[in-house]
Amino acid sequence: MDLQQIERVDTITKEDFLKHYFKPQKPVIIERFIEDWPAYSKWNLDYIAEIAGDKEVPLYDDRPVDYKDGFNEPHAKMKMREYIDLLKREPTKFRIFLWNVLKEVPELQGDYNWPDFGLRLMKGLPMLFFGGEDSYTFMHYDIDLANIFHFHFHGKKQVILFDQDQNDYLYKIPHSLITREDINFADPDYGKWPALKKANGFIGNLEHGNVLYMPEGYWHYMRYLTPGFSMSLRAIARNPKNLGKAVYNVFVMRHYDNLMRRMKGQAWIDGKNAKAIERTHRKLGIEF
């Protein structure tokens, strides 16, 4: 993989963001955009444990997709206070994702503002994501192909990004939003995954207070270098092609995939994994 560093700026105006990053659909890390938010000084693991410690939270790890798993079905549940104690005590693969701030802990709304990037943000969907040291997400893109603003708190996180135009090299799983789950994007085995050598993407590290802009439909792999958490705000896709893909994903693709899981069981999952290799290598003329 050829990964260039994500461009970094100290702060940015709405006009410069729209001109230099949104219109060309280019990622950027903004280092000092939220220092006036109460969250900047308040949000850490101890604060979340204090304000939301009794909330039961859904936990996910890096086990491969199983046909019996429902859509976004958690692998475990735990009180938030117990989960944060675990994060601080030892490395763990358990993560929280898509935890709705408005629904779960409405008091946190007073700690952040709605930034004006020139895009209309979906105000019902501020989502929190938590992870332990060396836990990671599979390489994936979001079902709605939204423009995403990812605000990181507490600790450090590494991100690897690819545009949708890199699909041919990533071993994308058919009827899905992920690549092959057995690819280690932090240290890929090019003997096993030769197409990845042709992939061009971006890499960067996030620290407390940094904001990452991910353009529409970008693939993203995120690895927690230390325990920490992030909040994502999103704006609907503007590109008609991406908007059409989002509608298809939500109303057709995910329902078809769930139907086939029920009908064919694990054979459906195994078949898709095999096709990811076959299709990728066939397109590139790689023998398999």
Side-chain angles (χ1 to χ4, degrees), residues 94-110:
F94 280 133
R95 295 176 291 105
I96 301 173
F97 78 102
L98 295 177
W99 203 62
N100 191 310
V101 176
L102 291 175
K103 177 182 176 183
E104 301 294 343
V105 193
E107 305 96 294
L108 292 175
Q109 295 176 64

Side-chain angles (χ1 to χ4, degrees), residues 48-55 57 78-87:
I48 298 297
E50 176 185 340
I51 199 168
D54 291 330
K55 292 283 186 179
V57 294
M78 191 179 293
K79 290 289 184 69
M80 176 64 90
R81 184 178 294 105
E82 297 169 355
Y83 174 62
I84 288 178
D85 286 343
L86 175 63
L87 292 185

